[in-house]
Amino acid sequence: NAGVTQTPKFQVLKTGQSMTLQCAQDMNHNSMYWYRQDPGMGLRLIYYSASEGTTDKGEVPNGYNVSRLNKREFSLRLESAAPSQTSVYFCASTGAGSYNEQFFGPGTRLTVL
Amino acid sequence: KQEVTQIPAALSVPEGENLVLNCSFTDSAIYNLQWFRQDPGKGLTSLLLIQSSQREQTSGRLNASLDKSSGRSTLYIAASQPGDSATYLCAPTRGGYNKLIFGAGTRLAVHP
């Protein structure tokens, strides 16, 4: 039982390049989330997927797209990376209902030059 | 809009002290509130989850309380140890689907 896994762990991009961050969970959770964490700040929600087949915007969605590939996998895509997207990205998941604990992956540290 | 504030921003204490970390939030219409621990360069580890109908939760040396009406939660750490050194994050929910809103955290250093 690996929990929430993310790939890659580290990535360096040049401005304008694209990439996809991968996330998978093996806890049979319905909902999945992408957050970003910047120095000195709390995590901010980028996008979430309440259930398989649905996605919705969070606080800071601009510059990102997501795909809920199946119940296990939720990917985040940067189409044209910008230096402002330099951050640590965390994926999380939770079971059905509003009272469930959210579990986080180890994060992807992204630098955009 | 839900805003979360954590006080103090940083704390340095000798081993053995009992600690109080504070979290306040502006919108009391929450479903639950989670406390997390984050070690440098690592992901978040869930410590405690308090549902909106509960007043407190305990796990080992940790106790978290919730006062929804006043928009406050407190994390108590008893008999602190150097291994407790980390950043502690508070996150109440906002709206449905368990969307969490995070504070900036309290950075704790416990020295021997």
Side-chain angles (χ1 to χ4, degrees):
Chain A
N1 191 342
V4 180
T5 57
Q6 292 184 236
T7 55
K9 287 187 167 52
F10 302 93
Q11 184 72 47
V12 179
L13 293 178
K14 294 180 180 178
T15 298
Q17 287 185 318
S18 62
M19 78 160 296
T20 299
L21 282 65
Q22 306 286 354
C23 173
Q25 52 88 12
D26 62 2
M27 296 173 282
N28 200 34
H29 284 168
N30 289 330
S31 301
M32 298 184 73
Y33 311 81
W34 277 105
Y35 295 87
R36 62 177 286 173
Q37 184 177 34
D38 300 303
M41 299 180 68
L43 281 74
R44 292 179 293 168
L45 183 64
I46 305 171
Y47 270 94
Y48 67 100
S49 170
S51 60
E52 187 178 354
T54 70
T55 61
D56 213 339
K57 296 177 181 179
E59 290 180 78
V60 288
N62 291 345
Y64 305 96
N65 285 302
V66 290
S67 295
R68 182 74 183 267
L69 304 169
N70 48 54
K71 192 170 186 179
R72 289 187 64 247
E73 298 172 289
F74 188 39
S75 63
L76 178 72
R77 183 160 178 84
L78 287 70
E79 291 290 351
S80 179
S84 61
Q85 294 178 304
T86 294
S87 189
V88 182
Y89 291 86
F90 289 101
C91 177
S93 70
T94 191
S98 298
Y99 298 98
N100 287 298
E101 203 170 358
Q102 203 160 125
F103 295 91
F104 280 73
T108 294
R109 190 173 298 272
L110 175 67
T111 301
V112 182
L113 302 174
Chain B
K1 180 186 173 185
Q2 179 76 282
E3 293 182 2
V4 181
T5 303
Q6 291 188 245
I7 294 172
L11 189 59
S12 180
V13 299
E15 182 175 7
E17 284 205 0
N18 297 325
L19 306 175
V20 175
L21 308 183
N22 295 295
C23 171
S24 62
F25 47 94
T26 54
D27 185 352
S28 62
I30 65 171
Y31 287 106
N32 60 41
L33 184 146
Q34 264 184 273
W35 281 93
F36 294 90
R37 168 189 173 132
Q38 185 176 29
D39 294 288
K42 303 290 185 185
L44 279 67
T45 300
S46 179
L47 297 173
L48 290 164
L49 178 145
I50 312 177
Q51 296 181 7
S52 59
S53 59
Q54 297 174 323
R55 284 291 207 169
E56 63 179 70
Q57 280 284 353
T58 298
S59 175
R61 293 183 294 108
L62 304 179
N63 175 276
S65 65
L66 175 64
D67 183 343
K68 253 185 59 169
S69 60
S70 67
R72 293 182 182 179
S73 179
T74 303
L75 180 68
Y76 298 89
I77 304 176
S80 58
Q81 302 170 359
D84 294 330
S85 299
T87 296
Y88 291 80
L89 297 163
C90 158
T93 54
R94 175 176 68 88
Y97 305 115
N98 260 328
K99 298 190 295 289
L100 298 177
I101 300 294
F102 284 84
T106 293
R107 193 170 64 254
L108 172 64
V110 182
H111 47 87

